[in-house]
Amino acid sequence: MTGPDFSYERAAMDRGFARIAGVDEVGRGPLAGPVTACAVVLDMSRIPEGLNDSKKLSAQRRESLAEAILACAEVSVASASVEEIDELNILRASHLAMERAVAGLLTPPDHCLIDGNLIPKGLTISAEAIVKGDSKSVSISAASIVAKIRRDYVMSALAQQYPGYGWETNAGYPSKSHRLALQNLGVTPHHRRSFKPVHNILYQQKNVSD
């Protein structure tokens, strides 16, 4: 099975775009923590070897690739908070994080390759959506790796403040141990109240207190 390549970037350059940014987000599925996005403009003469969808890489491989990406590419990372997720919904918050990541690049790109099937509404520059783009485009795969690393760091730090939920290993995803901790320890300020498992626990607590 082949990994991502440079074909989408090359096609965009053939259409006259010079600076191509790959954009991806991590953290739509967790019950806790922010959603994190990354925008990466690769130096096409220095593309790190072994780029792929971050989910297909070991933690150690992600770490080494993230270092290589940061050493040779323009990178911007941004997030949308738990409060924004609950207020807007997870899709819109994910797109907001993507928009912020693109806006954070020192020099605006000419064109964005967006992972998924939708282009964020607030993006004001040329863009195209690529389904499963993190396994097709080297720029998007680079963005997926850095976004995953950065979000994991955040969740590991939060795990120190809120022990027992296993965020250092489950990154806030609804693992069996995380769900059990929610039942036993309750809901923290970093849990997404609009997500059903969290909402249901709050609803149960409200009924008990009533």
Side-chain angles (χ1 to χ4, degrees), residues 21-28 34-40 75-81 84 88 90-105 109 112-125 127-134 139-140 143-144 147:
V23 187
D24 199 5
E25 53 72 29
V26 172
R28 283 197 194 187
V35 59
T36 301
C38 181
V40 174
V75 177
S76 171
V77 179
S79 295
S81 67
E84 288 170 325
L88 299 171
I90 185 58
L91 176 61
R92 180 68 194 107
S94 298
H95 283 182
L96 180 61
M98 285 182 169
E99 292 160 14
R100 287 171 173 165
V102 173
L105 289 167
C112 290
L113 305 176
I114 308 288
D115 184 56
N117 61 352
L118 295 170
I119 296 170
K121 292 178 181 177
L123 208 58
T124 56
I125 62 173
E128 64 185 292
I130 304 170
V131 175
K132 296 185 177 177
D134 45 10
S139 298
I140 296 176
S144 81

Side-chain angles (χ1 to χ4, degrees), residues 33-34 36 79 147-161 167 171 190:
T36 301
S79 295
K148 169 72 174 159
I149 288 286
R150 291 294 182 88
R151 189 178 183 280
D152 284 353
Y153 287 164
V154 169
M155 295 311 296
S156 291
L158 289 176
Q160 303 303 310
Q161 299 174 40
W167 292 343
H190 298 284

Side-chain angles (χ1 to χ4, degrees), residues 6-54:
F6 184 55
S7 57
Y8 286 93
E9 290 84 350
R10 186 177 292 110
M13 287 178 171
D14 288 345
R15 300 198 302 276
F17 299 113
R19 285 175 53 79
I20 317 297
V23 187
D24 199 5
E25 53 72 29
V26 172
R28 283 197 194 187
L31 303 180
V35 59
T36 301
C38 181
V40 174
V41 179
L42 288 172
D43 177 348
M44 295 310 161
S45 66
R46 300 170 63 200
I47 298 175
E49 289 283 333
L51 292 177
N52 209 333
D53 174 359
S54 63

Side-chain angles (χ1 to χ4, degrees), residues 82-83 162 187-193:
V82 167
E83 291 78 14
Y162 296 88
V187 176
T188 74
H190 298 284
H191 277 103
R192 302 173 180 179
R193 282 155 171 71

